[in-house]
Amino acid sequence: MRQLHEPLGAQAGGRSTRVLVVDDDPTVSEVVAGYLDRAGYLVDRADDGPTALVRADAHRPDLVVLDLMLPGMDGLEVCRRLRGQGPVPVIMLTARGDEDDRILGLEVGADDYVTKPFSPRELVLRVESVLRRSRPDAGTRPLGAAGLALDPTARRATKNGAELALTLREFDLLSFFLRHPERAYSREDLMREVWGWDFGDLSTVTVHVRRLRGKVEDDPARPRLIQTVWGVGYRFEPGGE
């Protein structure tokens, strides 16, 4: 049987792509790790928050699959601390169907979320999608407007020369806006163009726009760059009009 996602299982120089799976349910952890292993990823596992942080410190993962409900330290706090160590893509798992929990995960910087019960094959596809978008694009020229500068190759963004701490999706969203100024896009458009999904929870877009405004706007409560177009979606105005 052909393995899934063969191109993403190894990086340049032969180094395997490392995924840290954090879940206190041994069955879920074992199944997810098994599917990722067969897809060619190098998998580390942890069953609680403190252990996850120790594992991440010992071997920096390329991506973390993180359960929201963990003993001792919940997934939100683990995500915050992981991000404190440096940028790393995070896919959050939650057994809850409540929208507030999903939004909380996105607010602390999760790049994607999957609600239990889920298909392990779908999760592997999500891992592949997030990793693909996190890889530098050597063929994309630097972007800039309104004091903002993005280097897609280095995955680096600045505002008036100061470094911006952007998550993977925030970086991609800002890159899209800079490449398509003065055009209105619906949340469905942004979901398709930035996330690469033809369907999904549109609150994901809303949360990321709000987070991005908090980092690029002089006054996020009165945004001038990323403007709301009522009844449509959002438009990037480099002139801030």
Side-chain angles (χ1 to χ4, degrees):
M1 180 177 177
R2 183 179 64 86
Q3 288 186 341
L4 296 175
H5 322 297
E6 293 167 352
L8 290 180
Q11 298 177 341
R15 184 175 74 85
S16 293
T17 303
R18 184 180 294 273
V19 178
L20 174 60
V21 177
V22 188
D23 198 303
D24 64 325
D25 185 329
T27 300
V28 172
S29 179
E30 183 176 349
V31 169
V32 170
Y35 270 78
L36 290 170
D37 179 72
R38 288 191 292 274
Y41 298 101
L42 183 61
V43 183
D44 290 333
R45 292 164 61 181
D47 58 9
D48 59 47
T51 302
L53 296 175
V54 170
R55 296 277 171 82
D57 185 59
H59 300 286
R60 188 66 180 170
D62 298 292
L63 181 141
V64 180
V65 177
L66 177 63
D67 189 25
L68 177 63
M69 301 300 294
L70 293 170
M73 181 188 300
D74 66 26
L76 298 176
E77 181 61 25
V78 175
C79 187
R80 291 189 188 99
R81 297 195 186 191
L82 285 171
R83 284 287 162 77
Q85 296 176 1
V88 58
V90 174
I91 296 178
M92 193 159 282
L93 304 179
T94 173
R96 301 179 181 177
D98 189 80
E99 182 179 0
D100 291 341
D101 292 318
R102 299 197 298 271
I103 290 177
L104 276 174
L106 296 171
E107 288 283 11
V108 299
D111 298 287
D112 197 359
Y113 65 86
V114 177
T115 303
K116 297 179 181 178
F118 57 86
S119 161
R121 291 176 64 89
E122 178 188 353
L123 178 59
V124 174
L125 289 173
R126 295 290 186 99
V127 168
E128 180 186 50
S129 173
V130 171
L131 282 171
R132 180 177 290 113
R133 289 179 175 271
S134 70
R135 302 284 163 80
D137 186 352
T140 304
R141 61 181 175 80
L143 302 166
L148 298 168
L150 266 71
D151 183 345
T153 302
R155 300 289 296 187
R156 182 172 182 264
T158 61
K159 177 183 178 182
N160 299 326
E163 190 93 17
L164 292 174
L166 301 181
T167 67
L168 166 66
R169 296 299 188 188
E170 290 165 1
F171 187 97
D172 288 345
L173 185 58
L174 182 56
S175 175
F176 182 82
F177 279 136
L178 286 170
R179 286 186 284 111
H180 303 90
E182 300 178 341
R183 291 181 58 184
Y185 290 93
S186 68
R187 293 190 298 170
E188 291 88 351
D189 292 333
L190 294 172
M191 178 74 77
R192 182 175 57 255
E193 297 295 334
V194 178
W195 276 258
W197 305 341
D198 290 323
F199 59 90
D201 184 353
L202 295 179
S203 65
T204 299
V205 177
T206 306
V207 171
H208 279 81
V209 168
R210 182 167 66 245
R211 285 178 55 86
L212 185 58
R213 279 172 168 167
K215 298 178 181 181
V216 304
E217 299 281 0
D218 293 331
D219 182 1
R222 297 181 178 180
R224 300 181 63 188
L225 297 175
I226 305 173
Q227 298 185 5
T228 298
V229 181
W230 297 110
V232 180
Y234 305 99
R235 179 181 63 238
F236 182 74
E237 287 287 352
E241 297 298 333

